Amino acid sequence: MKVLQTSTPMPLLLLLYGLDESLLPPERRRRAIRAIDSYLVRRAVLNLSTRDYNNVFRDLVVAVARQPDRADDAVIKALSTMHGHHRHWPSDSEFRASLEQDPIYSRLVRRSVRILLEALEDALRTDHTEQLTVPVGEQAGAKLTIEHVMPQSWRDNWPPLENDLSEGADRDELVHTLGNLTLVTARLNPTLGNMAWEGKRQWLGKHSLLRLTHGTLLSAPSNAEITDWAAAWDERRIRTRGAYLASLSLGIWPHADDLRTDPLSFDHNHM
């Protein structure tokens, strides 16, 4: 909640954690919190208003108080039936479209962007991945920073594609989309700067340990149909990587139907 800069859910969380495990088992508590997490993150990504959150979470407290032994079901049902711009829980299609197309770096506060990247890094790790300690949340600001792979000042070293009739006119928004963002150390960030792709690729390959970089940027994500993926970094690769990361995000922050059918496939808590 500190990362999302809202304390409004606190009374609901205190209620959920105050219920004895004999009444509300831990897995049900986690499921309820995961629904709240998804609701907040999805709305933050779509840059939706927080003005009605006091009413939203007051309603959720009432719903949980009425059905404490099934608090998760109460939270999911209440959130999924909310309507209107100030209250609704964004659908998969809305969430995906925003992640793939919107310039989230320029539209969201940096903490919210880091939430996405940190959570994606976490989700990309498996039992076979070296267990590195990756700073998360507020601590990430001091150690990891957001890096634009194709730089914001791309005109310096990144000429438009030869077949691009717009001569790169759409790049100014595209560079701020999820598909073009990764995390690097604060020391590496200024070194990379506006460096051309070949140099940036070598620096990232040598110094980055993140799966977010090695598994989706320096090597092709599983949805890619591009040969010689790492030979270049262009609009098509940004969009392909963005689509892959958006699909991954749907699993990290699921909507109601997925929580009902497969509630515990992930156990992330990025609030």
Side-chain angles (χ1 to χ4, degrees):
M1 288 189 301
K2 290 180 180 178
V3 181
L4 289 177
Q5 296 182 305
T6 178
S7 59
T8 314
M10 186 59 72
L12 176 60
L13 295 178
L14 291 174
L15 173 58
L16 290 171
Y17 279 103
L19 295 172
D20 191 89
E21 291 185 3
S22 62
L23 180 63
L24 181 67
E27 60 271 17
R28 284 191 173 275
R29 181 183 295 114
R30 287 194 296 269
R31 186 167 174 245
I33 291 171
R34 194 169 173 220
I36 298 164
D37 190 25
S38 171
Y39 177 81
L40 291 173
V41 170
R42 285 184 178 222
R43 288 187 59 86
V45 168
L46 270 71
N47 203 27
L48 298 178
S49 173
T50 62
R51 62 182 293 180
D52 206 31
Y53 278 6
N54 283 332
N55 292 325
V56 168
F57 285 96
R58 184 175 62 241
D59 291 350
L60 291 176
V61 167
V62 171
V64 169
R66 288 174 176 168
Q67 200 174 13
D69 58 326
R70 301 184 67 85
D72 51 335
D73 291 332
V75 167
I76 292 168
K77 180 179 180 180
L79 288 176
S80 61
T81 56
M82 290 184 178
H83 301 289
H85 183 75
H86 297 299
R87 296 172 68 93
H88 92 287
W89 190 356
S91 66
D92 283 355
S93 59
E94 291 174 301
F95 190 39
R96 176 186 287 279
S98 185
L99 289 168
E100 291 187 16
Q101 303 169 19
D102 292 345
I104 62 171
Y105 179 85
S106 58
R107 197 177 70 177
L108 303 182
V109 297
R110 300 296 177 264
R111 286 182 175 184
S112 295
V113 179
R114 280 203 303 267
I115 273 189
L116 294 176
L117 298 175
E118 293 162 13
L120 288 164
E121 168 65 22
D122 206 21
L124 285 164
R125 293 179 171 273
T126 70
D127 292 339
H128 301 290
T129 305
E130 296 89 347
Q131 296 304 304
L132 304 173
T133 302
V134 180
V136 296
E138 292 187 308
Q139 289 73 36
K143 297 183 180 180
L144 294 178
T145 61
I146 302 164
E147 168 68 12
H148 291 76
V149 184
M150 180 182 289
Q152 300 178 71
S153 301
W154 56 266
R155 290 170 180 83
D156 294 344
N157 294 306
W158 298 66
L161 300 176
E162 292 182 3
N163 61 350
D164 184 1
L165 299 178
S166 72
E167 297 183 348
D170 61 344
R171 279 190 177 179
D172 289 324
E173 281 204 356
L174 188 64
V175 296
H176 293 307
T177 60
L178 180 62
N180 191 50
L181 304 177
T182 192
L183 293 168
V184 297
T185 63
R187 290 185 178 181
L188 183 57
N189 194 307
T191 302
L192 298 175
N194 298 328
M195 187 182 294
W197 169 244
E198 180 57 29
K200 182 170 285 194
R201 179 177 65 83
Q202 292 181 14
W203 274 88
L204 289 171
K206 182 177 181 180
H207 296 287
S208 178
L209 298 175
L210 300 183
R211 294 302 306 154
L212 183 63
T213 296
H214 282 273
T216 70
L217 177 59
L218 299 180
S219 60
S222 59
N223 67 326
E225 297 180 355
I226 300 174
T227 58
D228 204 6
W229 172 268
W233 191 250
D234 53 24
E235 286 85 340
R236 187 182 176 197
R237 287 168 170 82
I238 291 173
R239 293 189 176 100
T240 299
R241 180 173 181 262
Y244 174 74
L245 296 180
S247 294
L248 198 60
S249 298
L250 296 181
I252 301 172
W253 295 288
H255 204 272
D257 289 344
D258 291 321
L259 279 169
R260 291 187 184 107
T261 57
D262 191 16
L264 299 176
S265 60
F266 287 85
D267 187 15
H268 294 281
N269 183 6
H270 297 284
M271 297 173 62

